[in-house]
Amino acid sequence: MSSSKTIGIIGGGQLGQMMAISAIYQGHKVVTLDPAANCPASKVSQVIVAPYDDEAALRQLAEQADVLTYEFENVDADTLDAVAELAALPQGTRLLRISQNRIAEKEFLTEVGVNIAPYRIVRSAADLVDYGDFSTKRVLKTATGGYDGHGQVVIKDEASLKEARQLADQAPCDCVLEDFVPFDKEISVLISGNGHDVTVFPLQENIHRNNILAKTIVPARLSAILAVQAEEMARKIATEIQLSGTLCIEMFVAGKELLVNEIAPRPHNSGHYSIEACNFSQFDTHILGVLGQELPTIKLHEPAVMLNVLGQDLEAAAAFVKEHPQAHLHLYGKEEAKHNRKMGHVTLLTEETDEVSLD
């Protein structure tokens, strides 16, 4: 039986909250760093209230912790490196730096040998001055800082081209111009590592609305051949970085081809179903992984659907759970319900995955 550890989590949002719950169930203590005293993780852990890049606060966290981890990518890697001698940081900062910058991410994925969409680097509006090819739709994304559709423009006509040129000049970093992939569906692979071994979750099919994940179906409705290829690609990436903790790899399915879209070095929104639907959740394996413990083989109990509950969905979610008492409702404890803000999720174990909706 392993001895109890103190785990320091940078970020106290819903992912930090669910990491903390898993760590507590495994007998560990949790300290979280977050700018908000009433963050979701405050319900289940001690909180150091400070900005994520506050070196003094990170030092305080590291001094209290045996192991450090993070719940999202926008953690300052240099500041983390500065405190790494005070506590173990099994994930390191290499993967963090790669996932923080779309250019670095694409270069890394190319080196690993997985397929990605064609792209080129755009440093300013001048790189788009002769652009006039609307036959191939493309999307301009800032190299850093974008999420849930922010920091990107789909170029399809003169009006959107003008918007893209403004983004290229106003962005505080370089941009990436990607060919818009006419994909059939989006999938993701969750994989957890302990530094030398990995375990893989069942393939997930993701449906987005307004660039925000709305629904995840597990297992993904995909051919066996593509499912094997997706897992092989995930294992290839995890091996290259000697993965510790949970990593999510998002992919496009385009005909008979899989293209890696992006990677997230942490548990992921699309993996929340695993809390009820699998023998171990993505948070369980993340904690086991960063502690260097042996990882279980993941088993799916039943097919499942996970629905995101945004600020405007709270009433619909309550009605859904009333109608489906076997559904699992998770509310994150955020005090203010805002439009498109992730307030919780619902998981339903069912064979009838198509019909499940909050609408």
Side-chain angles (χ1 to χ4, degrees):
M1 193 71 178
S2 63
S3 60
S4 176
K5 302 287 187 183
T6 299
I7 299 173
I9 302 175
I10 303 162
Q14 60 265 25
L15 296 177
Q17 181 192 63
M18 288 183 272
M19 274 186 207
I21 290 169
S22 179
I24 290 164
Y25 279 162
Q26 294 179 43
H28 306 297
K29 180 183 176 182
V30 178
V31 183
T32 305
L33 185 146
D34 195 272
N38 60 351
C39 62
S42 68
K43 311 287 189 296
V44 292
S45 73
Q46 175 189 338
V47 179
I48 296 171
V49 182
Y52 302 119
D53 60 353
D54 185 324
E55 186 173 331
L58 275 171
R59 283 189 176 277
Q60 182 185 348
L61 179 69
E63 285 166 354
Q64 293 184 41
D66 298 299
V67 176
L68 292 176
T69 185
Y70 43 82
E71 69 144 10
F72 72 136
E73 298 90 295
N74 294 325
V75 179
D76 187 74
D78 290 339
T79 310
L80 259 186
D81 282 335
V83 303
E85 79 280 1
L86 299 173
L89 182 65
Q91 292 159 283
T93 54
R94 181 191 175 202
L95 181 57
L96 187 64
R97 293 175 194 276
I98 289 169
S99 61
Q100 285 176 342
N101 187 297
R102 285 192 171 96
I103 296 170
E105 185 177 63
K106 291 180 182 302
E107 290 172 347
F108 165 74
L109 293 170
T110 301
E111 288 167 10
V112 170
V114 298
N115 296 330
I116 61 174
Y119 77 98
R120 65 185 175 94
I121 298 169
V122 171
R123 304 192 187 281
S124 71
D127 292 333
L128 295 171
V129 70
D130 295 325
Y131 189 100
D133 176 19
F134 301 121
S135 59
T136 299
K137 195 158 62 169
R138 294 182 172 87
V139 56
L140 186 74
K141 300 178 180 178
T142 56
T144 62
Y147 69 96
D148 287 349
H150 298 281
Q152 60 182 259
V153 176
V154 177
I155 305 176
K156 55 186 182 295
D157 52 27
E158 286 292 345
S160 53
L161 176 58
K162 182 179 179 181
E163 192 180 344
R165 286 172 176 154
Q166 290 174 343
L167 178 63
D169 267 349
Q170 293 170 4
C173 58
D174 292 340
C175 295
V176 173
L177 184 67
E178 298 177 3
D179 281 12
F180 194 86
V181 178
F183 57 86
D184 304 314
K185 60 183 63 180
E186 296 178 66
I187 63 170
S188 55
V189 184
L190 281 176
I191 184 167
S192 296
N194 59 11
H196 51 90
D197 291 324
V198 299
T199 192
V200 186
F201 286 78
L203 212 60
Q204 304 155 187
E205 179 179 339
N206 302 321
I207 299 166
H208 291 77
R209 287 184 185 171
N210 301 317
N211 295 304
I212 301 172
L213 180 65
K215 178 177 180 177
T216 295
I217 297 171
V218 184
R221 297 165 295 184
L222 201 65
S223 72
I225 292 173
L226 284 178
V228 169
Q229 288 179 9
E231 181 172 329
E232 287 175 348
M233 290 164 73
R235 288 180 178 274
K236 207 170 184 180
I237 292 167
T239 299
E240 170 62 28
I241 54 175
Q242 296 180 298
L243 178 66
S244 288
T246 296
L247 170 71
C248 182
I249 302 159
E250 298 181 68
M251 304 179 186
F252 294 130
V253 180
K256 296 181 179 179
E257 188 176 28
L258 291 175
L259 301 172
V260 176
N261 180 35
E262 61 183 25
I263 57 178
R266 51 168 172 80
H268 193 263
N269 192 175
S270 64
H272 293 343
Y273 75 92
S274 62
I275 296 171
E276 284 86 23
C278 296
N279 55 338
F280 286 79
S281 78
Q282 63 168 342
F283 303 100
D284 298 333
T285 54
H286 181 79
I287 297 300
L288 290 169
V290 297
L291 292 175
Q293 296 180 7
E294 292 304 307
L295 296 170
T297 299
I298 301 302
K299 296 178 181 178
L300 183 69
H301 299 312
E302 284 184 54
V305 175
M306 188 281 297
L307 304 172
N308 256 343
V309 178
L310 305 180
Q312 63 270 31
D313 301 326
L314 287 170
E315 287 186 13
F320 181 90
V321 173
K322 190 173 182 180
E323 186 178 342
H324 302 85
Q326 70 274 33
H328 299 267
L329 175 63
H330 293 249
L331 295 176
Y332 305 144
K334 297 179 181 179
E335 294 193 349
E336 186 179 358
K338 296 180 182 178
H339 187 81
N340 284 348
R341 187 184 195 191
K342 293 170 186 172
M343 302 300 294
H345 69 269
V346 176
T347 300
L348 182 66
L349 276 58
T350 176
E351 298 279 352
E352 307 298 324
T353 55
D354 283 350
E355 285 72 38
V356 179
S357 171
L358 291 180
D359 295 336

